[in-house]
Amino acid sequence: LAKTTQPISMDSYEGQEVNITCSHNNIATNDYITWYQQFPSQGPRFIIQGYKTKVTNEVASLFIPADRKSSTLSLPRVSLSDTAVYYCLVLPTFNAGNMLTFGGGTRLMVKP
Amino acid sequence: GAVVSQHPSWVICKSGTSVKIECRSLDFQATTMFWYRQFPKQSLMLMATSNEGSKATYEQGVEKDKFLINHASLTLSTLTVTSAHPEDSSFYICSARDRTGFIRNEQFFGPGTRLTVL
């Protein structure tokens, strides 16, 4: 499984756009990039997944450059409720084990 | 859709007792469920992979005789912490993979169970 590196923590203010970058230098051809969000004392929640270029949903956007060695999760106009830990994972498709390996994640603190 | 529940949400027990935690997939069938443990301010650590109808696969360093896992149906997996001790106090989270979600490899997580052993 590809190892991921992301900042330990980030601070932001309400209304700002937040970009969290994740490095995954040894990503494989059949790997997808997936982001999860975890609020305190709750299980992680799937946010977004992508393979290349750009993916957007109602929650976030995911930007993946051509070499796929990094990815950026973009949260538009954050609010206090976006304070959480965000995990970047690189997952292979057609993996019989399908286990998830969580790195340290990025602790986002949104301030008023 | 894709809701996973856990019961109980929190439990306090005395040292030496056993505690059972249930994980249910409410609106889908899960051939595989996973159990994680999370200590304060730390990331999730996979404990074991549970496949319906077969024995669980434990990660290195996780005692299978202490953390008993049963996955008797496609919607229910249980984790029993036997002879719990204070160092077992943690946040236990399960996840389930929709048997139809093979390509996306997406897992759905339960809300977690906070175990405190006195």
Side-chain angles (χ1 to χ4, degrees):
Chain A
L1 296 174
K3 182 183 177 184
T4 61
T5 303
Q6 51 185 124
I8 295 175
S9 65
M10 293 181 68
D11 288 344
S12 182
Y13 291 92
E14 284 189 291
Q16 289 187 333
E17 178 184 79
V18 171
N19 295 307
I20 305 174
T21 298
C22 178
S23 298
H24 27 79
N25 291 318
N26 58 338
I27 188 170
T29 302
N30 63 343
D31 286 344
Y32 276 75
I33 299 153
T34 307
W35 286 80
Y36 281 83
Q37 174 192 56
Q38 185 182 26
F39 296 114
S41 295
Q42 293 187 29
R45 180 177 75 110
F46 172 90
I47 300 178
I48 197 166
Q49 183 181 70
Y51 184 80
K52 62 179 179 180
T53 61
K54 177 184 175 183
V55 179
T56 297
N57 61 22
E58 65 277 5
V59 177
S61 293
L62 179 60
F63 298 92
I64 306 168
D67 65 5
R68 303 201 326 123
K69 293 183 181 301
S70 67
S71 60
T72 299
L73 175 72
S74 180
L75 305 172
R77 300 177 61 82
V78 294
S79 63
L80 296 177
S81 61
D82 292 316
T83 294
V85 179
Y86 293 83
Y87 295 97
C88 165
L89 291 87
V90 173
L91 307 174
T93 57
F94 306 110
N95 180 357
N98 295 125
M99 68 178 200
L100 299 184
T101 301
F102 285 83
T106 297
R107 193 172 297 273
L108 173 66
M109 174 69 72
V110 180
K111 303 175 182 178
Chain B
V3 177
V4 176
S5 70
Q6 282 185 241
H7 178 80
S9 54
W10 59 270
V11 57
I12 301 173
C13 69
K14 293 182 179 180
S15 184
T17 60
S18 294
V19 175
K20 180 186 283 188
I21 302 171
E22 293 185 349
C23 176
R24 293 181 184 273
S25 57
L26 298 185
D27 49 3
F28 66 98
Q29 292 183 326
T31 51
T32 305
M33 289 184 172
F34 303 87
W35 287 95
Y36 296 83
R37 180 167 53 181
Q38 186 176 35
F39 294 107
K41 296 292 178 71
Q42 294 187 25
S43 187
L44 286 79
M45 296 295 293
L46 180 67
M47 298 176 65
T49 301
S50 169
N51 292 299
E52 185 261 340
S54 63
K55 291 184 178 180
T57 302
Y58 291 81
E59 294 300 300
Q60 190 173 9
V62 178
E63 300 175 58
K64 63 179 181 180
D65 294 331
K66 181 171 183 62
F67 299 99
L68 302 179
I69 292 173
N70 183 282
H71 192 163
S73 77
L74 287 173
T75 60
L76 173 64
S77 176
T78 61
L79 167 68
T80 301
V81 183
T82 62
S83 187
H85 288 94
E87 58 265 30
D88 298 323
S89 298
S90 186
F91 192 52
Y92 291 86
I93 307 170
C94 73
S95 72
R97 185 169 66 84
D98 187 337
R99 65 187 306 183
T100 64
F102 188 58
I103 292 178
R104 274 186 50 161
N105 200 0
E106 179 179 346
Q107 291 181 22
F108 302 98
F109 287 82
T113 297
R114 172 89 44 204
L115 171 62
T116 302
V117 184
L118 303 178

